[in-house]
Amino acid sequence: MSTPGCPSVHHSQALVCRVCGDRSSGKHYGTVCCDGCSCFFKRSIRKRAIYSCISGQGECSVDKARRNWCPFCRLQKCFLVGMNAAAVQQERGPRTPDGFSVQILSQVLMACIRQVRHNEHFAILSRMQQNEILRHVWYECFLLRVANWSIDISSLVERCCDGHLRSVVEDIKALRVDLIELSLLETLILCRKEYALSEREANQLEHLAERALTALSHYSWQQQPAHSSPKELQCGAGVQFREVRYTSTGTGGLRSLVGPEAIAHPAGLESAAARLGKLLLGLRTVALRFNEFAVRAMLREVISDDGLALETILTKL
């Protein structure tokens, strides 16, 4: 029991930076944090800084002693504990013509959700199951579609997105996916059994994801020339091929997915594996959790922090 006039244990614990654990004087940008992390977050948002993880894994420890080691992981931690980029931007007053540009991107988001509803695999699910999945992956579909929109909206991305989101969009654009690849990648985003409402739907989603991966594997194989050059074979046949083997359901990786015809064309198989691996790694890029916080901050006029506005959008579309 605390003595009157003395700070309680619970009060002391509340004044600990949620990012690094250092002492905090109170809330900054929506979260209890220290002055150091507050200044770091403000500086990163204002400069639209693009950081890279020093370990390449995105899982560096962020504490009082090591908070300055990896700015990428520190910024990720800031978003994960709820620091609000919009609060930083509001300190500088309204930005024009960003308001109009954000409204256009908001319409892009709504168009994305409408397109998702017509995905041939996703459309067979119940409306309730669709909404449950979209609550978790809407921002992944949005980023995938923005990077591959039918008209050039790069100027909107440049005006509205922070440095991190611009980097994500550019990475996905660099894959140069066609409409078939786009549809199948979107299916892999949507058919996630961890968001199933029942065991039956979990099995259904797993089956749909396996079908989409097999179709994408076949398509990657069919797009390869009969004989690949040595330079093409060297591109990504290492990590990416291991990624394919890990993701596919068969023990033989891509070979088991495309069938026995691959045996006669090992060069084409490795080239197809490299392409498929890059596509799957691209999905990992859009799936990073703090992408959602960044997109929410950008579309703050449409999507509220408590998710009520997003729920309304899902219900109407």
Side-chain angles (χ1 to χ4, degrees):
M1 181 179 296
S2 61
T3 304
C6 295
S8 67
V9 173
H10 293 289
H11 180 67
S12 298
Q13 290 176 340
L15 295 179
V16 173
C17 177
R18 295 188 63 198
V19 179
C20 72
D22 199 357
R23 293 182 61 185
S24 169
S25 59
K27 275 192 173 184
H28 302 274
Y29 306 118
T31 300
V32 174
C33 66
C34 64
D35 291 340
C37 288
S38 171
C39 291
F40 164 78
F41 184 72
K42 177 171 67 175
R43 183 170 63 251
S44 298
I45 298 302
R46 286 187 173 179
K47 291 184 176 180
R48 298 186 174 186
I50 302 176
Y51 301 123
S52 297
C53 178
I54 59 174
S55 68
Q57 302 297 316
E59 299 177 353
C60 300
S61 297
V62 181
D63 54 28
K64 182 178 177 180
R66 294 172 287 187
R67 63 190 178 196
N68 293 322
W69 285 13
C70 182
F72 176 90
C73 290
R74 189 182 188 183
L75 184 59
Q76 177 181 354
K77 184 78 175 288
C78 289
F79 281 122
L80 288 175
V81 300
M83 294 186 76
N84 188 353
V88 177
Q89 295 162 344
Q90 288 166 359
E91 286 182 343
R92 297 183 293 172
R95 296 178 299 160
T96 55
D98 286 5
F100 179 67
S101 300
V102 167
Q103 286 299 321
I104 295 177
L105 283 180
S106 301
Q107 295 299 317
V108 170
L109 169 63
M110 295 179 192
C112 287
I113 294 177
R114 291 191 187 97
Q115 291 172 339
V116 162
R117 299 285 191 193
H118 291 92
N119 178 287
E120 63 175 322
H121 298 94
F122 192 64
I124 68 176
L125 302 173
S126 69
R127 182 80 174 194
M128 186 179 297
Q129 179 63 83
Q130 289 182 18
N131 288 349
E132 177 62 24
I133 292 173
L134 283 173
R135 289 187 190 100
H136 296 278
V137 304
W138 64 272
Y139 67 95
E140 298 180 42
C141 296
F142 173 73
L143 290 173
L144 182 66
R145 288 283 180 175
V146 165
N148 295 281
W149 204 244
S150 55
I151 59 175
D152 183 12
I153 57 174
S154 55
S155 60
L156 298 179
V157 172
E158 182 64 28
R159 284 196 197 101
C160 303
C161 295
D162 61 19
H164 168 71
L165 283 183
R166 289 201 303 271
S167 177
V168 171
V169 171
E170 287 303 315
D171 286 346
I172 302 304
K173 284 180 68 174
L175 292 174
R176 299 183 181 277
V177 301
D178 60 26
L179 291 177
I180 294 176
E181 291 172 325
L182 178 63
S183 177
L184 292 170
L185 289 174
E186 189 173 69
T187 298
L188 289 174
I189 289 175
L190 295 166
C191 295
R192 305 257 275 276
K193 66 177 183 179
E194 61 264 35
Y195 303 130
L197 295 175
S198 68
E199 183 177 354
R200 181 186 67 81
E201 285 166 314
N203 293 331
Q204 183 182 27
L205 288 167
E206 184 175 26
H207 175 67
L208 290 172
E210 288 177 356
R211 283 179 56 189
L213 179 60
T214 300
L216 187 59
S217 303
H218 274 283
Y219 187 73
S220 297
W221 164 254
Q222 292 166 359
Q223 296 303 108
Q224 301 307 313
H227 300 284
S228 300
S229 68
K231 183 177 181 180
E232 290 173 326
L233 294 181
Q234 293 169 4
C235 259
V239 174
Q240 289 91 341
F241 189 53
R242 288 196 296 274
E243 175 76 8
V244 174
R245 285 210 310 263
Y246 174 79
T247 307
S248 65
T249 55
T251 58
L254 186 62
R255 189 185 303 276
S256 67
L257 291 173
V258 300
E261 67 271 18
I263 298 175
H265 301 283
L269 177 67
E270 291 194 24
S271 186
R275 173 61 177 170
L276 182 57
K278 288 179 181 178
L279 294 175
L280 296 177
L281 289 175
L283 288 187
R284 285 193 171 186
T285 298
V286 298
L288 293 173
R289 178 62 178 168
F290 56 87
N291 286 349
E292 178 178 3
F293 296 107
V295 175
R296 280 185 179 275
M298 179 180 67
L299 300 178
R300 59 190 177 277
E301 297 176 8
V302 179
I303 301 175
S304 57
D305 291 336
D306 56 13
L308 292 178
L310 177 62
E311 188 69 28
T312 302
I313 293 173
L314 294 179
T315 302
K316 290 183 176 180
L317 299 178

